[in-house]
């Protein structure tokens, strides 16, 4: 379209020159339906001519491509050769390009043939015919007509003359020539792409300063896709399984310290939350990953293809990945299927060359000879193929079994159905890490296993340290052979949504330190033998239900348990009373506790709340009920979020006397005095607690909780032991969902030592920012999500507030 504007400007220039000279002859332009002239003075003619030439070339290319596609043999098309698909797609694209070019040719011709070119011819004719006596009035009228037609032509063009050249959205895309494409090689395929700059040298210096263990830890990022977010949890488990974490006392770097070192050196970068706070995931820049893949190839740390993607190729490394693939692979039950596919792909061109000769010979033979020869050839070929296939199969199976016997790590990167052959799975006798589950944090990739019989081969994996089935559906029960994993440290069964039962053989895993059963919603019972895991430090997803043979009392034998996550499915279990904390105090090493109420406990509690009260209550309790209702607003303990002040003794005494006077009107003086004495004693006890003396703390010296997470709490009143005096070591306090009405304190002088407070989906808690600061003076991070009655907090749009230190 820019050429069209240039052509029109050239025509106007010729008109101005003709008007000045008033002499000379010009060839008349004939574009009104007649063939194009031979001279190429006008750019518009060059455009139309070049477009016609391009159209002819593309049509010839399309014909050649179609002829090539028609020559393909029927077997090649039956096997769905990818090259044939590419040819058809190429011919389709050529046809589309030809139709577009034809359309452009028609548009360019219409823009000039209809009116504009005729106007120019008329004006030039007038100038040439009357060179001495020019009729300027006629020319002026024709020029007005020409300008009017030009305006109409401009209206049909894009508004490029009204836009700036810097507008990226209106710029046309440019094709890339073969020479330009060769100048942009893939960073994974070009050897000298980084050698020219200083980046590679700087990277090598930083990489060489790492220790041997740290280098292997960094190479773990190479198998993940570009810009993938890898959780710290996964890396910690993997490094534990690979024995990459330092075990010597002189070098006790934690996983977080190693990751922070990688961040400081620029190898990885943390992923931040919406609130701006640092998350628990890390990712690697694509350029850094390219260099890390190079080092991984040199170290034989998994196998990668030419594009930097991990591959399932056997015999290349002692570590192998499971990736999404089509067709047979080295994991196929019949290993010859994979090798045959390769041989057929290589032998296909040779078969096409000899096809014509075989057809010519076959046509000259009679039907009888053909049948006899076919039968003989078939028998010979079948016998030869059987012998050769048996030899190849035996050799390949032996080689494959030997390779699997030396395998150290099997990691599922992108395979959706990680069901391995039952014949091959037991061969992995020396494997350390078996990660079949989902590594992504989101559940976008559905994973399922149809037949779980292959898991029986776990009995041979005595050296296995890390086993993950995270996010895999179709597993109802683990096989009993899991008890043979005597060296297993980490068992990850998170989000196995079809898991219904754990075998009792789990108790035989003496070295197990981490067990994750969270998000296993169909799991209702826990075997009693779980209490025999003396090395267990983290237990997530422990079920408390009426049908489960294992309860909290059995877990008290786990002396090394540091983190416990509980899911309550029993409405009879309660943590409201002070006695409930005694069960948790028996865990000597427990520092992190999460309690969540599941569907069973919530439903039963709700049904219980709807039941009518028992009619067979004592008459004395019914008579005391009106008095208790009167004193209810006076006898409440002070709590965070309450704007009411605590009444003094005098006010309570007056209220008690008023209630007593109301009872005197009903008669029965003996019962009145008795109830009055009970009320006076209750009031005295409450006043004693509210007068600055906190109630006796419950085993505060034995409780070492640093993190408490309570979810879906069903009572409005908090547990009685949930006070600062009891939880002196608490640094992180989380409440999520539930009916909780306030965060308690025993008296006005008590303060929490909590540094991180997370409140989510709590509609009953009423408090403001001043009260938060008063009760949590050590607060450094506050997260508030969907808590409408918690007001005036200086949180950002995501509901987070963080203390900024100078």
């Amino acid at each position: 379209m820019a050429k069209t504007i240039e052509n029109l400007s050239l025509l106007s220039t010729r008109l101005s020159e003709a008007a000045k000279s008033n002499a000379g002859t010009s060839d008349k332009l004939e574009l009104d339906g007649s063939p194009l002239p031979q001279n190429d003075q006008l750019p518009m003619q060059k455009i139309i001519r070049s477009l016609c030439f391009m159209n002819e070339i593309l049509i010839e290319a399309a014909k050649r491509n179609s002829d090539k596609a028609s020559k393909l043999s029927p077997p090649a098309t039956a096997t769905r050769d990818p090259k044939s698909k590419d040819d058809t797609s190429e011919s389709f694209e050529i046809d589309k390009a030809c139709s577009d070019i034809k359309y452009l040719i028609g548009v360019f011709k219409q823009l000039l043939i209809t009116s504009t070119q005729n106007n120019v011819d008329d004006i030039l004719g007038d100038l040439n015919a009357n060179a001495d006596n020019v009729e300027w009035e006629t020319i002026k009228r024709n020029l007005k007509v020409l300008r009017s037609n030009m305006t109409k032509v401009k209206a049909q063009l894009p508004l490029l003359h009204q836009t700036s050249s810097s507008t990226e959205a209106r710029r046309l895309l440019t094709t890339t020539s073969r020479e330009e494409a060769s100048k942009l090689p893939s960073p994974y395929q070009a050897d000298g792409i980084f050698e020219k700059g200083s980046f590679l040298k700087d990277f090598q210096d930083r990489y060489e300063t790492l220790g041997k263990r740290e280098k292997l830890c960094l190479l773990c990022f190479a198998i993940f896709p570009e810009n993938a977010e890898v959780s710290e949890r996964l890396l910690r488990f993997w490094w534990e399984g690979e024995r990459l974490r330092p075990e010597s006392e002189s070098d006790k770097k934690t996983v977080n310290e190693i990751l922070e070192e990688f961040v400081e050196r620029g190898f990885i970068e943390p992923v931040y939350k919406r609130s701006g706070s640092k998350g628990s995931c890390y990712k690697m820049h694509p350029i850094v990953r390219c260099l890390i893949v190079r080092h991984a190839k040199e170290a034989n740390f998994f196998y990668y293809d030419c594009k930097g993607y991990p591959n399932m190729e056997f015999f290349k490394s002692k570590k192998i990945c499971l990736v999404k693939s089509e067709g047979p692979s080295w994991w196929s039950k019949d290993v010859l299927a994979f090798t045959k596919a390769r041989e057929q792909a290589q032998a296909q061109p040779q078969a096409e060359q000899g096809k014509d000769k075989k057809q010519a010979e076959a046509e000259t033979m009679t039907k009888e000879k053909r049948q006899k020869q076919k039968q003989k050839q078939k028998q010979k070929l079948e016998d030869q193929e059987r012998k050769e296939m048996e030899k190849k199969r035996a050799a390949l199976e032996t080689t494959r079994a030997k390779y699997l016997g030396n395998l150290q790590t099997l990691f599922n990167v992108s395979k959706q159905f990680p069901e391995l052959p039952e014949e091959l799975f037991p061969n992995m006798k020396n494997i350390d890490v078996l990660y079949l589950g989902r590594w992504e944090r989101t559940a976008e990739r559905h994973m399922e296993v149809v037949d779980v019989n292959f898991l029986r081969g776990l009995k041979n994996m005595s050296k296995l340290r890390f086993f993950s089935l995270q996010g895999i559906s179709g597993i109802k029960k683990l096989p009993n052979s899991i008890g043979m994993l005597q060296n297993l440290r980490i068992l990850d069964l998170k989000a196995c949504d079809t898991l219904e039962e754990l075998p009792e053989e789990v108790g035989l895993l003496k070295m197990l330190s981490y067990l994750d059963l969270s998000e296993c919603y169909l799991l209702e019972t826990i075997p009693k033998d779980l209490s025999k895991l003396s090395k267990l430090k983290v237990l997530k997803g422990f079920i408390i239900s009426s049908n489960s043979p294992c309860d909290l009392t059995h877990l008290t034998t786990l002396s090394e348990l540091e983190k416990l996550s509980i899911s309550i499915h029993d409405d009879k279990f309660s943590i409201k009373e002070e006695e409930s904390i005694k069960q948790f105090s028996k865990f000597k090493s427990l520092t992190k506790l999460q309690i969540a109420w599941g569907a069973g406990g919530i439903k039963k509690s709700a049904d219980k709340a709807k039941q009518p009260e028992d009619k067979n209550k004592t008459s004395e309790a019914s008579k005391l009920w009106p008095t208790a209702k009167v004193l209810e607003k006076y006898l409440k303990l002070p709590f965070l979020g309450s704007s009411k002040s605590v009444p003094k003794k005098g006010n309570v005494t007056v209220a008690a006397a008023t209630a007593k006077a109301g009872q005197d009107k009903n008669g029965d003086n003996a019962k009145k005095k008795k109830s009055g004495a009970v009320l006076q004693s209750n009031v005295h006890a409450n006043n004693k607690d509210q007068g600055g003396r906190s109630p006796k703390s419950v085993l505060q010296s034995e409780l070492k909780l640093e993190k408490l997470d309570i979810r879906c709490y069903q009572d409005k009143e908090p547990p009685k032991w949930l006070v600062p005096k009891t939880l002196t070591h608490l640094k992180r306090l989380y409440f999520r969902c539930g009916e909780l009405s306030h965060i308690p304190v025993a008296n006005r002088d008590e303060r929490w030592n909590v540094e991180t407070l997370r409140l989510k989906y709590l509609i009953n808690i009423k408090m403001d920012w001043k009260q938060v600061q008063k009760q949590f003076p050590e607060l450094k991070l506050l997260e508030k999500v969907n808590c409408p009655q918690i007001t005036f907090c200086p949180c950002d749009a995501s509901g987070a507030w963080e203390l900024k230190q100078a």
Side-chain angles (χ1 to χ4, degrees):
M1 306 310 288
K3 289 289 185 181
T4 305
I5 299 174
E6 184 181 352
N7 183 29
L8 295 175
S9 63
L10 180 60
L11 293 176
S12 64
T13 304
R14 292 182 62 182
L15 286 174
S16 62
E17 291 178 354
K20 289 180 181 180
S21 61
N22 270 339
T25 58
S26 300
D27 296 334
K28 203 171 186 179
L29 300 176
E30 295 181 359
L31 293 175
D32 49 352
S34 61
L36 293 172
Q38 297 299 323
N39 56 356
D40 293 336
Q41 295 178 358
L42 295 179
M44 181 59 67
Q45 296 178 13
K46 293 182 180 180
I47 293 174
I48 297 174
R49 198 177 301 280
S50 62
L51 289 175
C52 295
F53 181 70
M54 290 166 55
N55 188 26
E56 293 176 358
I57 293 176
L58 290 176
I59 290 174
E60 292 178 0
K63 289 182 180 180
R64 290 196 302 269
N65 197 23
S66 60
D67 295 339
K68 181 181 177 181
S70 61
K71 291 180 180 180
L72 292 175
S73 59
T77 56
T79 55
R80 298 180 180 179
D81 190 3
K83 293 184 179 180
S84 62
K85 294 183 179 180
D86 295 339
D87 294 338
T88 56
S89 62
E90 289 176 1
S91 60
F92 178 71
E93 294 294 336
I94 292 174
D95 293 338
K96 289 176 63 179
C98 291
S99 62
D100 292 339
I101 291 175
K102 290 179 181 179
Y103 172 75
L104 289 176
I105 293 173
V107 170
F108 279 121
K109 285 183 178 181
Q110 288 178 3
L111 287 175
L112 293 179
I113 290 173
T114 54
S115 60
T116 308
Q117 192 65 51
N118 295 332
N119 299 145
V120 174
D121 293 340
D122 293 338
I123 295 171
L124 292 176
D126 293 339
L127 291 172
N128 296 330
N130 302 319
D132 297 333
N133 188 13
V134 178
E135 297 180 0
W136 292 105
E137 296 296 332
T138 305
I139 293 176
K140 286 182 179 180
R141 289 195 298 269
N142 291 335
L143 287 174
K144 288 183 179 180
V145 175
L146 176 62
R147 291 180 62 188
S148 177
N149 291 333
M150 293 291 292
T151 303
K152 294 179 181 179
V153 172
K154 288 182 179 180
Q156 298 176 12
L157 297 174
L159 301 180
L160 291 175
H161 61 284
Q162 298 181 4
T163 58
S164 61
S165 60
S166 61
T167 305
E168 296 294 337
R170 295 186 180 272
R171 288 185 178 178
L172 296 177
L173 299 177
T174 59
T175 57
T176 304
S177 63
R178 183 173 298 179
E179 296 179 357
E180 293 175 349
S182 62
K183 296 178 182 178
L184 298 173
S186 172
Y188 297 97
Q189 299 175 354
D191 295 333
I193 190 171
F194 294 107
E195 279 71 6
K196 296 181 180 179
S198 60
F199 177 76
L200 179 61
K201 183 179 180 181
D202 182 44
F203 177 85
Q204 289 293 128
D205 294 340
R206 287 179 286 149
Y207 182 77
E208 293 299 331
T209 56
L210 297 175
K212 184 178 180 180
R213 293 178 182 271
E214 285 78 5
K215 288 180 180 179
L216 294 176
C217 291
L218 184 60
L219 295 182
C220 293
F221 284 88
I223 69 168
F224 300 105
E226 292 183 355
N227 296 318
E229 298 180 359
V230 186
S231 65
E232 180 267 340
R233 172 182 177 271
L234 170 60
L235 296 173
R236 184 173 69 252
F237 293 166
W238 189 359
W239 296 350
E240 178 69 25
E242 293 272 7
R243 298 182 181 89
L244 296 179
R245 296 180 61 182
E247 299 177 355
S248 61
E249 297 181 357
S250 59
D251 187 10
K252 288 187 177 182
K253 287 185 180 180
T254 63
V255 175
N256 291 329
E257 291 176 350
I258 296 175
L259 292 173
E260 287 298 326
E261 184 180 357
F262 292 163
V263 172
E264 292 177 0
R265 296 177 184 270
F267 296 127
I268 60 176
E269 54 187 19
V271 179
Y272 291 92
K273 301 179 181 178
R274 292 182 180 178
S275 60
S277 60
K278 185 179 177 181
S280 59
C281 292
Y282 297 85
K283 64 180 181 178
M284 180 175 286
H285 193 276
I287 296 179
V288 178
R289 181 184 179 273
C290 176
L291 299 178
I292 292 297
V293 168
R294 291 187 179 186
H295 287 286
K297 289 181 179 180
E298 294 175 358
N300 207 19
F301 196 85
F302 293 94
Y303 176 73
Y304 305 86
D305 59 12
C306 59
K307 296 182 180 180
Y309 298 116
N311 202 314
M312 285 196 300
E313 190 72 20
F314 275 27
F315 318 117
K316 301 293 184 179
S317 172
K318 291 185 178 181
K319 305 177 188 297
I320 192 172
C321 290
L322 294 178
V323 297
K324 186 177 180 180
S325 62
E326 297 180 359
S329 65
W330 284 109
W331 290 103
S332 303
K333 293 183 179 180
D334 188 3
V335 69
L336 287 178
F338 180 57
T339 57
K340 276 185 177 181
R342 289 185 172 181
E343 293 176 356
Q344 289 177 0
Q346 297 176 357
Q348 184 176 355
Q350 300 177 358
E352 292 180 356
Q353 294 177 0
K355 179 182 177 182
D356 297 335
K357 295 181 180 180
K358 291 181 180 179
Q359 289 181 353
E361 293 175 358
E363 291 176 357
T364 58
M365 294 180 180
T366 60
K367 294 181 179 180
E368 296 178 356
K369 291 181 179 179
R370 290 178 186 174
Q371 292 178 355
K372 292 180 180 179
Q373 288 183 357
K374 284 182 179 180
Q375 291 178 356
K376 292 180 180 180
Q377 289 178 357
K378 281 184 179 181
Q379 291 179 355
K380 291 180 179 179
L381 290 174
E382 288 178 358
D383 294 339
Q384 292 178 357
E385 287 180 357
R386 286 176 185 175
K387 294 179 180 179
E388 291 179 358
M389 288 177 63
E390 289 178 357
K391 292 180 180 179
K392 288 182 178 179
R393 182 180 289 106
L396 287 173
E397 288 181 354
T398 303
T399 306
R400 185 170 60 173
K402 184 178 180 180
Y403 168 74
L404 293 176
N406 297 324
L407 194 65
Q408 296 177 353
T409 302
L410 177 62
F411 197 97
N412 186 2
V413 176
S414 59
K415 197 171 183 63
Q416 187 176 2
F417 302 97
E419 184 177 340
L420 301 180
E422 190 175 355
E423 298 81 6
L424 301 179
F425 195 72
N427 293 329
M428 298 184 288
K429 299 179 180 180
N430 295 316
I431 193 167
D432 295 327
V433 176
L434 181 59
Y435 200 100
L436 301 179
R438 182 178 60 242
W439 61 268
E440 300 92 340
R441 299 191 67 183
T442 59
E444 296 179 357
R445 179 165 61 107
H446 175 72
M447 302 184 65
E448 187 175 355
V449 171
V450 179
D451 188 6
V452 298
N453 292 330
F454 74 95
L455 292 177
R456 298 174 183 174
L458 292 172
K459 60 183 179 180
N460 296 335
M461 304 179 187
S462 58
K463 296 183 178 181
L464 185 63
R465 295 168 59 91
F466 174 29
F467 181 40
S468 175
L469 296 172
Q470 179 179 342
I472 299 180
S473 301
I475 303 176
K476 294 184 178 180
K477 182 182 178 181
L478 293 179
N480 298 336
S481 58
I482 196 171
M484 305 294 290
L485 305 177
Q486 297 298 323
N487 203 30
L488 189 65
R489 263 70 171 176
I490 302 168
L491 178 59
D492 184 12
L493 303 176
K494 181 179 179 181
C496 291
D497 50 6
T498 58
L499 186 64
E500 299 177 359
E501 185 180 356
L502 283 178
E504 296 182 356
E505 285 74 11
V506 173
L508 300 176
L509 305 176
K510 299 300 182 181
M511 301 299 295
L512 192 67
S513 62
Y514 190 103
L515 176 60
D516 193 349
L517 302 173
S518 58
E519 300 182 29
C520 297
Y521 301 113
L522 297 183
L523 187 63
E524 288 291 338
T525 59
I526 301 293
K528 202 172 184 180
D529 293 340
L530 192 68
S531 59
K532 299 179 181 179
L533 304 177
S534 58
K535 299 288 185 179
L536 195 64
K537 295 182 179 180
V538 178
L539 175 58
K540 302 180 68 175
F542 181 75
I543 304 296
I544 294 181
S545 65
S546 57
N547 300 327
S548 181
C550 186
D551 54 16
L552 284 179
T553 56
H554 297 95
L555 296 184
T556 55
T557 57
L558 305 179
S559 58
E560 298 185 11
L561 190 64
E562 299 176 358
K563 185 176 182 179
L564 177 62
S565 174
I566 302 173
S567 180
I568 300 174
H569 295 179
D570 187 5
D571 62 323
K572 296 181 181 179
F573 182 84
S574 175
I575 63 170
K576 190 174 181 180
E577 300 299 330
E578 295 181 354
E579 295 181 356
S580 60
I581 195 59
K582 294 181 180 179
Q583 298 180 0
F584 299 111
S585 63
K586 295 179 182 179
F587 295 95
K588 299 179 181 179
S589 303
L590 188 65
T591 58
K592 299 178 182 179
L593 176 62
Q594 176 182 321
I595 306 175
W597 276 258
I602 294 175
K603 184 177 180 181
K604 292 180 181 179
S605 299
D607 295 341
K608 187 176 180 180
K610 294 180 180 179
Q611 292 179 357
E613 297 181 359
D614 190 5
K615 297 182 180 180
N616 299 326
K617 290 184 178 180
T618 59
S619 59
E620 184 149 354
S622 62
K623 292 180 180 180
L624 286 175
W625 177 252
T627 305
K629 290 294 288 181
V630 173
L631 295 177
E632 183 180 7
K633 61 181 180 180
Y634 297 102
L635 297 181
K636 283 186 177 179
L637 292 174
F639 59 88
L640 183 61
S642 177
S643 60
K644 298 180 181 180
S645 60
V646 181
K648 298 180 180 179
K649 275 189 177 183
N651 295 335
V652 179
T653 307
V654 172
T658 304
K660 185 177 180 181
Q663 283 189 348
D664 288 340
K665 296 180 181 180
N666 297 328
D668 200 352
N669 294 330
K671 291 183 179 180
K672 294 175 194 176
K673 294 179 181 180
K674 184 176 180 181
S675 61
V678 172
L679 290 172
Q680 290 289 345
S681 61
N682 291 337
V683 170
H684 178 71
N686 284 284
N687 288 331
K688 184 177 181 181
D689 290 340
Q690 296 179 10
R693 302 177 184 177
S694 60
K696 185 178 180 181
S697 60
V698 183
L699 301 172
Q700 68 179 56
S701 61
E702 299 182 12
L703 286 176
K704 298 179 181 179
L705 287 181
E706 298 177 1
K707 176 183 176 182
L708 178 61
D709 187 357
I710 298 180
R711 303 186 178 187
C712 303
Y713 185 69
Q714 294 304 301
D715 295 327
K716 292 187 176 181
E717 293 297 324
K720 296 181 179 180
W721 50 268
L722 189 59
V723 290
K725 284 289 184 179
T726 305
L727 305 173
T728 56
H729 301 279
L730 194 65
K731 297 297 180 182
R732 289 180 286 177
L733 180 60
Y734 304 161
F735 287 101
R736 184 185 180 95
C737 301
E739 301 295 332
L740 189 67
S741 61
H742 58 274
I743 300 176
V745 290
N747 57 58
R748 293 180 175 273
D749 298 331
E750 281 191 347
R751 300 291 183 268
W752 289 91
N753 296 325
V754 173
E755 297 179 356
T756 303
L757 179 64
R758 287 192 174 99
L759 306 174
K760 296 184 178 181
Y761 311 104
L762 302 171
I763 60 174
N764 296 328
I765 293 183
K766 185 177 181 180
M767 55 197 297
D768 56 23
W769 177 241
K770 289 185 178 180
Q771 293 171 339
V772 173
Q773 288 181 312
K774 183 177 181 181
Q775 299 299 331
F776 298 91
E778 304 294 332
L779 191 64
K780 296 181 180 179
L781 177 63
L782 170 65
E783 290 187 5
K784 177 181 70 71
V785 179
N786 289 351
C787 299
Q789 299 193 66
I790 302 178
T791 57
F792 302 106
C793 297
C795 300
D796 57 13
S798 61
W801 171 85
E802 187 174 3
L803 179 63
K804 296 182 180 179
Q805 299 180 357

